[in-house]
Amino acid sequence: MLEIKELFSGYEDIDIIKEINISINKGENLFIIGPNGCGKSTLLKSMANIIEYRGSVKIDEEEVSSLDRITLARKIGLMSQTSQIHFPYSVYDTVALGRYAYSKGALSGISKKDKKIILESIENVGLSDLKDKMITELSGGQLQRVFLARVFAQDPDVILLDEPTNHLDLKHQIEILQYLKKWVKDNNKILIGVLHDLNLVHYFADRVMLLDKGEVVSYGKASEVLNNERIESIYGIDIKGFMQNVLEKWR
């Protein structure tokens, strides 16, 4: 279980996230929604202990701020919006970095088990035919899938994804989210993702959290949160009406 109590966090002594209280069971996925600047990315960084927080973030009753880097990497994997290329590695070598937390030392090399997990992770994002290609030669969508594969290879208990479908075409958005949902169920993991596409949220989420100005204003099943009257006032648009009008054009 992931349990968050009385969580506050932000930057330069200014709280962006305020008094978050949620719990998520293994085998569930949660998508966080809300307008730009409401604190979605800050919340993920707090969960991953990238920025300091007040309150409590526990995985299986262990406070994440008390974990060493290796243990934390086995517990939580984060893919942010701004994943960057630091070195011209191949797709395979980039995904292999996800196995660092399981290595026995800098000179230990990659085991047969590691190689199997790396290749499976690459296959699951549809890049097997590009595994030897340099990541500097990839499109934005292909690169996004490489970084997703790296998180899969890390095999953490909790995956945190900030806009994982950025740069992906519709086919790959759906395939990745289908794989994520199955992976979470089959492996008893937890997925927490930030998405702007409310259609995808409606279709794939077990639970949804609506944030506004750093506070939780609605939390529950997708059908409950997305039909809440508050969502219209927060986004400043009749979202349900707009979606229904769009659907009419497909008929």
Side-chain angles (χ1 to χ4, degrees):
M1 174 182 285
L2 175 67
E3 190 171 29
I4 298 173
K5 292 183 177 180
E6 298 295 318
L7 179 67
F8 292 78
S9 65
Y11 310 93
E12 299 179 357
D13 297 324
I14 299 175
D15 287 328
I16 306 299
I17 292 297
K18 306 160 190 172
E19 202 172 354
I20 305 294
N21 292 279
I22 59 168
S23 62
I24 309 162
N25 293 316
K26 291 181 178 179
E28 290 185 338
N29 68 70
L30 163 69
F31 284 107
I32 304 169
I33 62 173
N36 290 337
C38 71
K40 300 185 293 293
S41 298
T42 300
L43 178 55
L44 292 189
K45 290 175 183 177
S46 302
M47 293 179 188
N49 198 35
I50 290 175
I51 61 175
E52 293 184 0
Y53 62 84
R54 305 192 314 279
S56 177
V57 180
K58 289 184 177 181
I59 300 176
D60 295 330
E61 300 186 353
E62 291 185 283
E63 190 69 41
V64 299
S65 61
S66 69
L67 302 175
D68 61 75
R69 290 182 65 185
I70 296 297
T71 304
L72 184 60
R74 294 182 181 185
K75 294 282 186 180
I76 297 179
L78 170 67
M79 191 185 85
S80 67
Q81 291 184 50
T82 56
S83 298
Q84 297 177 347
I85 299 175
H86 296 290
F87 300 99
Y89 290 158
S90 69
V91 169
Y92 181 91
D93 290 338
T94 302
V95 176
L97 293 173
R99 299 304 297 166
Y100 169 76
Y102 303 92
S103 65
K104 297 179 180 179
L107 302 177
S108 63
I110 295 176
S111 68
K112 288 183 178 179
K113 179 182 178 181
D114 289 331
K115 290 178 181 177
K116 182 175 183 291
I117 291 172
I118 293 164
L119 291 174
E120 286 178 349
S121 299
I122 294 171
E123 180 182 359
N124 287 327
V125 297
L127 291 176
S128 295
D129 57 334
L130 299 178
K131 68 181 178 66
D132 298 318
K133 194 167 186 175
M134 305 303 287
I135 60 173
T136 50
E137 301 172 14
L138 301 180
S139 68
Q142 290 169 334
L143 189 61
Q144 189 81 343
R145 285 187 278 155
V146 172
F147 292 135
L148 274 168
R150 185 175 64 187
V151 177
F152 294 152
Q154 187 177 332
D155 193 32
D157 293 330
V158 180
I159 283 188
L160 306 175
L161 300 176
D162 198 349
E163 285 295 320
T165 56
N166 268 0
H167 308 296
L168 300 183
D169 59 38
L170 184 59
K171 174 179 180 289
H172 286 110
Q173 288 182 40
I174 293 170
E175 286 179 352
I176 289 295
L177 289 172
Q178 284 176 332
Y179 173 75
L180 280 166
K181 186 159 188 166
K182 185 176 186 301
W183 184 84
V184 166
K185 302 294 184 189
D186 291 350
N187 296 283
N188 212 25
K189 305 286 189 178
I190 292 173
L191 166 68
I192 302 175
V194 169
L195 279 182
H196 281 295
D197 190 325
L198 300 186
N199 283 318
L200 293 177
V201 172
H202 220 317
Y203 191 79
F204 287 103
D206 293 321
R207 295 182 182 273
V208 176
M209 177 196 296
L210 173 61
L211 280 183
D212 186 40
K213 298 176 183 176
E215 298 180 350
V216 178
V217 295
S218 186
Y219 179 74
K221 295 180 179 179
S223 57
E224 298 168 350
V225 175
L226 294 175
N227 284 300
N228 191 314
E229 291 181 0
R230 280 184 167 181
I231 199 168
E232 183 176 333
S233 63
I234 288 170
Y235 278 93
I237 184 176
D238 178 6
I239 294 175
K240 184 175 181 179
F242 175 76
M243 297 296 185
Q244 289 174 333
N245 287 337
V246 171
L247 183 60
E248 285 295 322
K249 293 184 179 295
W250 285 93
R251 294 180 177 177

